[in-house]
Each structure stands twice: as C-alpha cells, then as structure tokens.
Amino acid sequence: MAGSCLKGRFLSVFDYKTEKYIVAKNKKVGVLYRVIQLSIIGYIIGWVFVSKKGYQETDEAIQSSVITKLKGVSVTNTSESGLLVWGPEDYVIPPQGEAVLFVVTNFLETPNQKLGYCAEVRIFCRVDDLKHGRCLRKDESSNGTCEIYGWCPIERKFKPQGPLLTNAENFTIYIKNFIQFPKFKFSKSNVLETTDDSYLKKCRYDEELHPYCPIFRLGDITQRARYNFQDMSTFGGSIGIMISWNCDLDKGYSHCHPQYYFTRLDISVSNTTIATGFNFRHTRYFKNATGESYRSLFKVYGVRFNIMVHGKAGMFSIIPTAINVASGLALMGAGAFFCDMVLLYLMKKGNSYRERKFEDCRYDKQHRSTDTAEVYELAQCSDVKLNSEIYRLHTTTSLALTHRRGLRTTLTYPPPTATHTLFNCKSTAD
C-alpha cells in the first residue's frame, strides 16, 4: 500500500495543470486592460528596443590612445625679456603631446636671478632677529625689509593687463585618437583613411564637410565651449574636449563616427568662484661666460586642455533580446493583476466576480478513539455536475480503496439533488 501511494505521488509530478479563465463582460475594465497592454507593448518596442537597443550586447570598456601636436608661432616684446619668438617647443607644456597639455598665452618674467642675499620686500621689520635675519632699513625711523638668501632679485608681484601671445587663438591642435572595443575586436581612428598625404595639411575640422580631420583652431574650440579665447588668455582657463564613440556595429564599420564636445571646466554654475584661471611657475637655467649660474623665472598663464575619450559599442545578441521579451511578458501579467484588483475591490459587482473566480471547498475531519481506531471523513463540495457523473459511474461499478492503517473503505453515493451533493464515507475493519 505504501508503495502504491508513493508511486501515485511520483506520477503526479508529470501531471500538467492549467489555469481557469473567467471572461468578465465589463467594457470599462476591458478598455483599461487593452490600454495597459498597448502601453506595455509601446514601452517595449519604442523605448527598450528602438531607443535603448535592448536587443544588443554592449561593450563600454573602450581602450583609447590620444596623441596631440600643436602648430603656430607668436612674437613678444617686453622690457624684461626683450624680443622673443615662441614656437610649439616654447609654449606647449609638456611638449611630447599627451591627452592633457597646457598652452602658454601670457607670462611674467623675472630675468637673470642669481643665488645670493637680497631684501624680501614682502616681510617688513624694524630690528634684526634670529628668525628673519638682518633688517635692511634706509634709516632708524623707517620700516625695513628682511634680508634673505635665495634667488635674487625676487619675483615681481603684479597682475597682467592683457595677453602677450596675442595670436595664440590661431594656433592649431591636431588630436589623433585610436580606439578599440575588445569584446567585439573592433578598432578605429578619428583620422580619415586616405592615401592623400596632403589632406591633413589643408583641412580643418568641420562636422559636415570634414568630420575625420581632427585639426582644430584654438579660437574655434573656446568658441564651441561658448567662451572668448581673448578673455581666457589673460589669466588662463581649462577646456575639456570630449570624444564620444557610440557605435552600432549591426550597421557596419562605416557607421561608427566620433563626436566632439567642448566645455569649460574652471567655471562654476553660479559663476561666482574666485578660483578661475590657470597659472604656474617654471624656470630656465643658464650660465654666463664666467660659469656663474643664472635663471629666468616665468609665471605663465594659459589654457589647459583635457582630452577625454568615452564610448559604447553594441551588437545583436539573443540573450539580452530574450531577457527583455520575457520582462515584457511579465509586465503583461502585472496588467492582468491590476485589472483583477479593479474588478474585486473597485467595481460594484465585485462580490459576484469574486464568487466566480474563487471556488470555496471545505474539508472536515471527525475523530473518535475506540479499541479499534476508525476515521470518518466527510467531504462537501458544491459542484452538482461533478457528483452526478460520479453517481452514474457508481451505478455500474463498486470502488474499494485500502487505507494505510489497513481499513477497507467502501464509498456509496446517493443520488445528487439540485441544491447540494454529499459524500458519505463508511469504514469497517478489515
């Protein structure tokens, strides 16, 4: 008996169960359900697949290399420095061409500094002390300045009145960028693939005419960032150049193009910061005819360019497609659940719908302890058609079931009535 019971349970694993559907003749809920379905379908097709390309596998781990080169010449003439000619090797820092570079547009020079003792004009004193050294004064009644040992004369302190490299906005910068998406083994450059050696010598970047000529005029870069180059060149600034590669590899190699964006990085949204501009100091060392060491101290102002590369590539894959389709089907089920809640709790005839959707079944047990343990089970169900079929079968056959406790149970079925059906179970000892 135990084996028969276990066998029955094992075979029930292979039974197929399906849902029972009830058609509710309610136009309001029906329209609501169709609207929800159409909204979900529109979301899946329009947003997930068309806009976000949810059918593609993506790679955002872009590998990039940037090489820069500047061209242009400027001439300055100051009382401290005299006549100077500035080439890329002079105004580009660092000169080797990296993704971050600085272009000098203005400078203050303190020439011919030599190590020795001189007055520090920023520290005033009246007497000598151990901390600051000698106090250099014109007379005993006046304040003096402390004597220091360092590079003399000390740096001059004043604000520049305008840019010295006045034509720096006409300098050109060549930005060569190589990118690769390792997942798809795809690589490309932002330079036109051509055999014409003179192409880069005569072209300038234009989004429509020359999108693969990465040569930019500095004045055009700041103008694209909505700032004037002459205003920035006096005290300096910082410009960000972003190269974006958004490639749909399903369309092919020729549809992957670089996009350039320009922005100023040293300006806050409120435009009230006191930290605008960019400057730093560097020196040039030399020796005179007698071998004495001298240096020229330069405080340089200019524009710092930060070249940043980011991108994403996508290609069709069955896995993300299946995931997004399954998510859409799950949302369809959520729409049906919402409509059920409307029918059950928001409609006037919700109780009637609840009675047809949910069938109540009671299972009662009655126990009695005697010398011989007997169990009587009473099952009641409100399905008249089912009991009528069982009664028809009983008229031709007699069913006997053996319980695990060794009880022989004979089931008898009285004729069903129009109002209810009752199963009577009668057990006798074996």
Side-chain angles (χ1 to χ4, degrees):
M1 280 184 288
S4 177
C5 183
L6 290 175
K7 181 179 179 181
R9 291 182 177 273
F10 175 75
L11 293 177
S12 66
V13 175
F14 302 98
D15 293 342
Y16 173 74
K17 300 178 180 63
T18 185
E19 296 180 355
K20 178 181 179 181
Y21 292 95
I22 298 175
V23 179
K25 299 295 184 178
N26 190 307
K27 291 183 179 180
K28 294 181 180 179
V29 178
V31 171
L32 175 63
Y33 183 55
R34 297 308 176 193
V35 169
I36 293 175
Q37 281 185 324
L38 291 176
S39 301
I40 294 173
I41 293 173
Y43 164 76
I44 296 171
I45 296 176
W47 178 257
V48 176
F49 286 105
V50 176
S51 178
K52 293 300 181 180
K53 294 182 173 60
Y55 56 88
Q56 289 184 337
E57 183 181 7
T58 60
D59 183 9
E60 298 184 16
I62 185 174
Q63 298 175 352
S64 173
S65 173
V66 176
I67 302 171
T68 58
K69 183 186 294 185
L70 274 92
K71 287 186 178 181
V73 177
S74 185
V75 178
T76 61
N77 191 1
T78 63
S79 59
E80 295 84 5
S81 306
L83 187 65
L84 291 178
V85 177
W86 294 74
E89 62 277 4
D90 302 309
Y91 59 74
V92 179
I93 303 172
Q96 62 266 30
E98 298 180 353
V100 179
L101 67 151
F102 177 82
V103 178
V104 178
T105 59
N106 203 6
F107 68 94
L108 299 175
E109 182 184 6
T110 306
N112 302 322
Q113 286 184 319
K114 182 183 177 180
L115 281 175
Y117 290 94
C118 56
E120 171 57 82
V121 296
R122 292 167 293 188
I123 303 177
F124 298 97
C125 62
R126 293 192 60 87
V127 295
D128 299 343
D129 63 44
L130 295 176
K131 181 178 180 180
H132 298 101
R134 293 176 56 193
C135 184
L136 303 178
R137 297 182 295 171
K138 292 181 179 181
D139 52 61
E140 294 183 357
S141 62
S142 64
N143 290 330
T145 56
C146 295
E147 184 182 51
I148 63 168
Y149 178 79
W151 290 97
C152 302
I154 65 171
E155 181 185 17
R156 297 182 301 117
K157 295 293 182 181
F158 64 90
K159 288 186 177 182
Q161 301 301 315
L164 295 178
L165 281 72
T166 55
N167 66 328
E169 63 179 336
N170 295 319
F171 296 165
T172 59
I173 179 172
Y174 171 43
I175 305 173
K176 185 163 52 175
N177 179 218
F178 297 93
I179 60 101
Q180 181 177 0
F181 293 102
K183 181 182 290 187
F184 304 121
K185 298 180 180 180
F186 176 86
S187 60
K188 198 172 183 179
S189 170
N190 67 333
V191 182
L192 181 67
E193 297 179 356
T194 179
T195 57
D196 185 4
D197 296 336
S198 63
Y199 174 74
L200 293 177
K201 297 179 181 180
K202 58 186 178 182
C203 73
R204 292 292 182 272
Y205 174 79
D206 185 274
E207 189 174 353
E208 299 295 335
L209 300 177
H210 300 287
Y212 281 89
C213 177
I215 299 178
F216 302 86
R217 181 176 166 270
L218 298 189
D220 294 337
I221 291 178
T222 56
Q223 186 177 1
R224 290 173 182 268
R226 299 182 180 180
Y227 286 90
N228 184 273
F229 186 86
Q230 292 299 327
D231 295 339
M232 294 181 60
S233 58
T234 301
F235 295 101
S238 181
I239 293 291
I241 303 175
M242 288 161 282
I243 307 176
S244 177
W245 295 83
N246 291 318
C247 301
D248 186 353
L249 300 185
D250 292 329
K251 296 181 179 179
Y253 180 88
S254 60
H255 286 78
C256 181
H257 305 296
Q259 299 292 328
Y260 299 90
Y261 303 95
F262 308 90
T263 183
R264 185 168 180 178
L265 303 177
D266 63 318
I267 294 293
S268 64
V269 177
S270 61
N271 203 21
T272 58
T273 178
I274 61 174
T276 58
F278 189 85
N279 67 80
F280 63 93
R281 294 170 175 82
H282 72 94
T283 58
R284 295 177 182 176
Y285 292 88
F286 59 92
K287 292 183 179 182
N288 61 8
T290 61
E292 293 180 307
S293 295
Y294 290 85
R295 79 174 190 180
S296 291
L297 175 64
F298 289 88
K299 181 179 181 180
V300 293
Y301 301 82
V303 181
R304 177 187 174 98
F305 293 94
N306 298 267
I307 303 172
M308 300 161 281
V309 181
H310 62 88
K312 181 176 69 173
M315 182 178 290
F316 174 78
S317 177
I318 191 63
I319 296 177
T321 303
I323 291 174
N324 285 303
V325 170
S327 300
L329 295 177
L331 287 176
M332 291 289 189
F337 174 79
F338 177 76
C339 291
D340 279 347
M341 295 298 101
V342 172
L343 280 171
L344 289 173
Y345 300 106
L346 300 180
M347 303 300 292
K348 294 181 178 179
K349 298 182 179 180
N351 292 331
S352 176
Y353 176 74
R354 185 181 294 105
E355 291 176 357
R356 287 165 174 77
K357 182 175 177 63
F358 302 104
E359 292 183 356
D360 296 332
C361 184
R362 293 179 300 169
Y363 184 74
D364 300 331
K365 288 186 178 181
Q366 189 178 20
H367 301 277
R368 186 178 62 182
S369 299
T370 59
D371 293 337
T372 304
E374 295 181 351
V375 178
Y376 296 90
E377 297 181 355
L378 180 64
Q380 295 179 335
C381 192
S382 62
D383 198 332
V384 177
K385 294 183 180 180
L386 178 63
N387 295 329
S388 300
E389 182 64 20
I390 295 175
Y391 180 76
R392 185 183 63 82
L393 294 175
H394 176 67
T395 56
T396 56
T397 59
S398 176
L399 302 177
L401 300 176
T402 306
H403 289 281
R404 285 177 292 180
R405 293 185 179 180
L407 299 178
R408 177 178 298 169
T409 304
T410 302
L411 304 180
T412 60
Y413 303 87
T417 65
T419 57
H420 70 276
T421 302
L422 178 66
F423 297 93
N424 294 327
C425 301
K426 188 176 182 181
S427 301
T428 58
D430 188 5

